[in-house]
Amino acid sequence: MKVFVTGHRGYIGTHLVDLLKQGGHYVTGCDLNLFNGCEWEPVVRPDKELIKDVRQISPTDIEGHDCIMHLAAISNDPMGDLDPELTFSVNRDGSINLARLARQTGVGRFLFSGSCSVYGQGEKLDLDENAAFNPITAYAKSKIDTEREVSLLADDHFSPVFLRNSTAFGHSPMLRIDLVVNNLLGCAVARGDIRIMSDGTPWRPLIHCRDIARAFIAIMNAPRQAVHNRAINIGANKENYQVKDIGDLVQKFVPHANIVYTGEVGADPRNYRVNFDLLGKLLPDFKLEYSLAAGMEELHKKYLEHKFSQADFDGDQFVRLRTLKKRLSLVHK
């Protein structure tokens, strides 16, 4: 197939390009390259690369592609809250416009990278795709708005699918440590302590970033009638954890590190345990390759291999928010 990937230079996108190329697909990547220089390891390049804002994609850019995998976004809650207007412009308006262009140019399948954060402060545990939205951030709201508007475009020739991804973790050539698992493990390795800013009770569904990429490919290859215009939680029931559980597992890899509850954010209102039965029903052959423990073991080895230090932990390279703030400040000077 001919696949168009936005955000191909990102934390998940680099895995996705690698897997697509391994599968023999022709890949066009589109990325603003905002985080150029943040690479941890060499990345696999697409067959064709566009360095441009997703809001500027033209019909000629995407013509002839069979599938769009749309990952590009202001990519998490803190970054989204930094500039909510920009978040909605990129994540919502840019995504809706791209879907419309895809429909107009005959791209048959449009896979949108959503998030389980749309459930926000969950009203109950084990939230399935029919659970009420309870967003508490601009990032989550932008994902909900996009799902709603893009679903209206679905027809016999245009098939959108909305992947509500669990919280990502794990090794990537474009490492991020502004994610709960990577942050706690990185803190333990670099500083010698495990600093949990909440009270440790909130639930999070977790998934390795490479497994998210694998889910995109599985849904691209799935029968149209199975996934057409569906929202699908991406993860596994056994991979729901409380933050304190993550801290305990980190301590097994770094035994000398003490767990410290800083209380900086108090009781974190983002609390959602998610049900993934629909994914298993629609794609019975798809299974996660990584458990939390296996992904953490791999990442721990990478931290040691790269001699991950406190300078790395405190620096800009692996924290998207710090890099974004710095580059926005340069733009506004």
Side-chain angles (χ1 to χ4, degrees):
M1 288 191 186
K2 195 171 182 182
V3 185
F4 191 97
V5 179
T6 72
H8 73 282
R9 288 192 173 187
Y11 177 62
I12 298 166
T14 50
H15 280 303
L16 185 51
V17 171
D18 181 23
L19 291 169
L20 285 167
K21 293 284 290 176
Q22 286 184 35
H25 301 286
Y26 179 95
V27 183
T28 300
C30 179
D31 197 295
L32 187 57
N33 208 21
L34 193 59
F35 302 105
N36 184 39
C38 294
E39 296 89 347
W40 201 28
E41 294 182 348
V43 302
V44 175
R45 297 297 183 190
D47 297 280
K48 181 180 180 181
E49 191 166 39
L50 305 176
I51 303 301
K52 67 192 304 183
D53 191 315
V54 294
R55 294 170 294 181
Q56 304 303 319
I57 291 173
S58 69
T60 55
D61 291 331
I62 60 175
E63 280 177 346
H65 289 84
D66 302 293
C67 179
I68 290 178
M69 298 181 174
H70 180 40
L71 281 69
I74 304 296
S75 64
N76 65 3
D77 292 337
M79 287 205 295
D81 290 340
L82 179 65
D83 187 340
E85 186 175 336
L86 178 62
T87 297
F88 284 112
S89 177
V90 174
N91 293 11
R92 180 192 63 197
D93 303 341
S95 299
I96 295 167
N97 182 63
L98 179 59
R100 287 173 177 156
L101 287 178
R103 189 173 185 259
Q104 291 166 13
T105 53
V107 179
R109 195 163 294 192
F110 182 87
L111 308 188
F112 176 68
S113 188
S115 171
C116 284
S117 68
V118 297
Y119 303 121
Q121 192 168 7
E123 296 178 350
K124 60 178 184 177
L125 297 179
D126 302 318
L127 300 154
D128 65 15
E129 290 79 0
N130 296 314
F133 294 136
N134 198 2
I136 56 176
T137 63
Y139 172 76
K141 291 173 185 174
S142 74
K143 296 297 186 181
I144 293 168
D145 290 349
T146 302
E147 277 194 24
R148 183 180 61 247
E149 293 300 317
V150 174
S151 69
L152 299 176
L153 301 175
D155 61 20
D156 291 342
H157 306 287
F158 179 68
S159 186
V161 189
F162 310 99
L163 288 78
R164 294 182 186 164
N165 301 317
S166 297
T167 299
F169 75 94
H171 166 65
S172 166
M174 286 292 289
L175 178 68
R176 290 176 55 182
I177 61 168
D178 50 353
L179 297 161
V180 61
V181 174
N182 298 2
N183 180 270
L184 294 180
L185 183 59
C187 187
V189 170
R191 293 173 45 100
D193 58 12
I194 303 163
R195 301 178 69 83
I196 297 176
M197 291 185 288
S198 70
D199 63 3
T201 61
W203 285 92
R204 291 287 189 283
L206 300 171
I207 185 171
H208 196 285
C209 49
R210 194 168 181 88
D211 276 329
I212 294 178
R214 291 179 57 250
F216 268 88
I217 295 171
I219 290 174
M220 177 184 72
N221 292 327
R224 185 181 190 275
Q225 65 272 18
V227 297
H228 174 69
N229 206 23
R230 282 186 178 271
I232 307 171
N233 293 335
I234 305 298
N237 292 339
K238 64 182 180 180
E239 294 301 308
N240 283 286
Y241 297 88
Q242 287 180 288
V243 175
K244 62 183 180 181
D245 299 328
I246 302 170
D248 290 342
L249 187 54
V250 168
Q251 200 170 42
K252 291 183 179 180
F253 289 99
V254 191
H256 67 271
N258 294 317
I259 298 175
V260 179
Y261 290 91
T262 69
E264 292 175 45
V265 300
D268 189 339
R270 297 171 300 168
N271 180 34
Y272 42 95
R273 196 172 80 186
V274 178
N275 178 283
F276 300 96
D277 289 348
L278 180 63
L279 176 63
K281 178 181 177 183
L282 298 178
L283 300 175
D285 294 332
F286 178 79
K287 301 289 187 295
L288 302 188
E289 287 189 348
Y290 288 89
S291 65
L292 175 59
M296 198 179 285
E297 180 180 13
E298 176 190 57
L299 182 59
H300 181 241
K301 288 178 180 177
K302 288 289 184 179
Y303 279 145
L304 298 181
E305 176 187 323
H306 286 270
K307 297 180 171 59
F308 187 80
S309 67
Q310 184 161 348
D312 293 321
F313 186 79
D314 293 335
D316 298 337
Q317 180 179 357
F318 304 121
V319 179
R320 298 296 186 261
L321 181 60
R322 293 174 192 159
T323 302
L324 184 62
K325 281 182 174 178
K326 180 179 287 186
R327 294 186 177 169
L328 284 176
S329 69
L330 292 174
V331 168
H332 292 146
K333 280 185 178 178

